[in-house]
PDB file of all heavy atoms in Angstrom:
ATOM      1  N   GLU A 452     -14.668   6.034   3.136  1.00 89.00           N
ATOM      2  CA  GLU A 452     -14.756   4.755   2.412  1.00 89.00           C
ATOM      3  C   GLU A 452     -14.417   4.927   0.925  1.00 89.00           C
ATOM      4  O   GLU A 452     -15.207   4.562   0.047  1.00 89.00           O
ATOM      5  CB  GLU A 452     -16.157   4.149   2.565  1.00 89.00           C
ATOM      6  CG  GLU A 452     -16.569   3.855   3.995  1.00 89.00           C
ATOM      7  CD  GLU A 452     -15.933   2.592   4.562  1.00 89.00           C
ATOM      8  OE1 GLU A 452     -15.264   1.891   3.804  1.00 89.00           O
ATOM      9  OE2 GLU A 452     -16.120   2.339   5.753  1.00 89.00           O
ATOM     10  N   PRO A 453     -13.242   5.472   0.602  1.00 87.00           N
ATOM     11  CA  PRO A 453     -12.925   5.749  -0.800  1.00 87.00           C
ATOM     12  C   PRO A 453     -12.745   4.510  -1.662  1.00 87.00           C
ATOM     13  O   PRO A 453     -12.789   4.591  -2.888  1.00 87.00           O
ATOM     14  CB  PRO A 453     -11.609   6.524  -0.703  1.00 87.00           C
ATOM     15  CG  PRO A 453     -10.988   6.035   0.566  1.00 87.00           C
ATOM     16  CD  PRO A 453     -12.142   5.830   1.501  1.00 87.00           C
ATOM     17  N   LEU A 454     -12.532   3.339  -1.050  1.00 86.00           N
ATOM     18  CA  LEU A 454     -12.293   2.125  -1.833  1.00 86.00           C
ATOM     19  C   LEU A 454     -13.564   1.300  -2.034  1.00 86.00           C
ATOM     20  O   LEU A 454     -13.523   0.271  -2.711  1.00 86.00           O
ATOM     21  CB  LEU A 454     -11.242   1.256  -1.126  1.00 86.00           C
ATOM     22  CG  LEU A 454      -9.933   1.941  -0.738  1.00 86.00           C
ATOM     23  CD1 LEU A 454      -8.970   0.932  -0.114  1.00 86.00           C
ATOM     24  CD2 LEU A 454      -9.287   2.642  -1.927  1.00 86.00           C
ATOM     25  N   ALA A 455     -14.676   1.761  -1.475  1.00 81.00           N
ATOM     26  CA  ALA A 455     -15.894   0.942  -1.428  1.00 81.00           C
ATOM     27  C   ALA A 455     -16.361   0.480  -2.805  1.00 81.00           C
ATOM     28  O   ALA A 455     -16.783  -0.665  -2.966  1.00 81.00           O
ATOM     29  CB  ALA A 455     -17.014   1.700  -0.714  1.00 81.00           C
ATOM     30  N   SER A 456     -16.284   1.357  -3.803  1.00 75.00           N
ATOM     31  CA  SER A 456     -16.813   1.000  -5.127  1.00 75.00           C
ATOM     32  C   SER A 456     -15.708   0.718  -6.138  1.00 75.00           C
ATOM     33  O   SER A 456     -15.965   0.688  -7.337  1.00 75.00           O
ATOM     34  CB  SER A 456     -17.714   2.140  -5.647  1.00 75.00           C
ATOM     35  OG  SER A 456     -16.998   3.352  -5.735  1.00 75.00           O
ATOM     36  N   LEU A 457     -14.483   0.498  -5.653  1.00 82.00           N
ATOM     37  CA  LEU A 457     -13.356   0.315  -6.567  1.00 82.00           C
ATOM     38  C   LEU A 457     -12.911  -1.137  -6.625  1.00 82.00           C
ATOM     39  O   LEU A 457     -12.893  -1.839  -5.613  1.00 82.00           O
ATOM     40  CB  LEU A 457     -12.177   1.185  -6.115  1.00 82.00           C
ATOM     41  CG  LEU A 457     -12.412   2.692  -6.031  1.00 82.00           C
ATOM     42  CD1 LEU A 457     -11.126   3.401  -5.628  1.00 82.00           C
ATOM     43  CD2 LEU A 457     -12.928   3.249  -7.354  1.00 82.00           C
ATOM     44  N   ASP A 458     -12.524  -1.569  -7.825  1.00 84.00           N
ATOM     45  CA  ASP A 458     -11.925  -2.897  -7.967  1.00 84.00           C
ATOM     46  C   ASP A 458     -10.493  -2.832  -7.438  1.00 84.00           C
ATOM     47  O   ASP A 458      -9.962  -1.742  -7.180  1.00 84.00           O
ATOM     48  CB  ASP A 458     -11.975  -3.354  -9.427  1.00 84.00           C
ATOM     49  CG  ASP A 458     -11.243  -2.406 -10.371  1.00 84.00           C
ATOM     50  OD1 ASP A 458     -10.120  -1.951 -10.036  1.00 84.00           O
ATOM     51  OD2 ASP A 458     -11.783  -2.099 -11.440  1.00 84.00           O
ATOM     52  N   PRO A 459      -9.842  -3.980  -7.248  1.00 88.00           N
ATOM     53  CA  PRO A 459      -8.500  -3.968  -6.650  1.00 88.00           C
ATOM     54  C   PRO A 459      -7.488  -3.081  -7.371  1.00 88.00           C
ATOM     55  O   PRO A 459      -6.704  -2.388  -6.725  1.00 88.00           O
ATOM     56  CB  PRO A 459      -8.090  -5.448  -6.707  1.00 88.00           C
ATOM     57  CG  PRO A 459      -9.383  -6.187  -6.616  1.00 88.00           C
ATOM     58  CD  PRO A 459     -10.365  -5.358  -7.400  1.00 88.00           C
ATOM     59  N   ALA A 460      -7.515  -3.084  -8.705  1.00 87.00           N
ATOM     60  CA  ALA A 460      -6.550  -2.266  -9.448  1.00 87.00           C
ATOM     61  C   ALA A 460      -6.799  -0.780  -9.226  1.00 87.00           C
ATOM     62  O   ALA A 460      -5.856  -0.008  -8.999  1.00 87.00           O
ATOM     63  CB  ALA A 460      -6.622  -2.590 -10.936  1.00 87.00           C
ATOM     64  N   SER A 461      -8.076  -0.371  -9.282  1.00 85.00           N
ATOM     65  CA  SER A 461      -8.406   1.041  -9.067  1.00 85.00           C
ATOM     66  C   SER A 461      -8.130   1.455  -7.628  1.00 85.00           C
ATOM     67  O   SER A 461      -7.698   2.580  -7.369  1.00 85.00           O
ATOM     68  CB  SER A 461      -9.881   1.294  -9.410  1.00 85.00           C
ATOM     69  OG  SER A 461     -10.135   1.074 -10.780  1.00 85.00           O
ATOM     70  N   ALA A 462      -8.381   0.539  -6.685  1.00 88.00           N
ATOM     71  CA  ALA A 462      -8.089   0.831  -5.280  1.00 88.00           C
ATOM     72  C   ALA A 462      -6.596   1.072  -5.092  1.00 88.00           C
ATOM     73  O   ALA A 462      -6.188   1.992  -4.367  1.00 88.00           O
ATOM     74  CB  ALA A 462      -8.572  -0.313  -4.397  1.00 88.00           C
ATOM     75  N   HIS A 463      -5.787   0.261  -5.750  1.00 90.00           N
ATOM     76  CA  HIS A 463      -4.331   0.414  -5.660  1.00 90.00           C
ATOM     77  C   HIS A 463      -3.900   1.770  -6.212  1.00 90.00           C
ATOM     78  O   HIS A 463      -3.066   2.469  -5.613  1.00 90.00           O
ATOM     79  CB  HIS A 463      -3.646  -0.714  -6.429  1.00 90.00           C
ATOM     80  CG  HIS A 463      -2.156  -0.685  -6.367  1.00 90.00           C
ATOM     81  ND1 HIS A 463      -1.441  -1.036  -5.231  1.00 90.00           N
ATOM     82  CD2 HIS A 463      -1.232  -0.318  -7.300  1.00 90.00           C
ATOM     83  CE1 HIS A 463      -0.151  -0.887  -5.467  1.00 90.00           C
ATOM     84  NE2 HIS A 463       0.002  -0.462  -6.713  1.00 90.00           N
ATOM     85  N   GLU A 464      -4.482   2.176  -7.341  1.00 89.00           N
ATOM     86  CA  GLU A 464      -4.162   3.477  -7.931  1.00 89.00           C
ATOM     87  C   GLU A 464      -4.540   4.606  -6.984  1.00 89.00           C
ATOM     88  O   GLU A 464      -3.783   5.565  -6.805  1.00 89.00           O
ATOM     89  CB  GLU A 464      -4.908   3.661  -9.259  1.00 89.00           C
ATOM     90  CG  GLU A 464      -4.371   2.846 -10.415  1.00 89.00           C
ATOM     91  CD  GLU A 464      -5.153   3.111 -11.690  1.00 89.00           C
ATOM     92  OE1 GLU A 464      -6.024   4.020 -11.669  1.00 89.00           O
ATOM     93  OE2 GLU A 464      -4.917   2.429 -12.697  1.00 89.00           O
ATOM     94  N   THR A 465      -5.729   4.497  -6.387  1.00 89.00           N
ATOM     95  CA  THR A 465      -6.200   5.543  -5.477  1.00 89.00           C
ATOM     96  C   THR A 465      -5.297   5.660  -4.259  1.00 89.00           C
ATOM     97  O   THR A 465      -4.941   6.766  -3.836  1.00 89.00           O
ATOM     98  CB  THR A 465      -7.647   5.249  -5.035  1.00 89.00           C
ATOM     99  OG1 THR A 465      -8.503   5.260  -6.191  1.00 89.00           O
ATOM    100  CG2 THR A 465      -8.147   6.281  -4.037  1.00 89.00           C
TER     101      THR A 465
END
Side-chain angles (χ1 to χ4, degrees):
E452 300 283 354
L454 308 183
S456 59
L457 301 182
D458 59 44
S461 296
H463 182 73
E464 286 181 6
T465 298

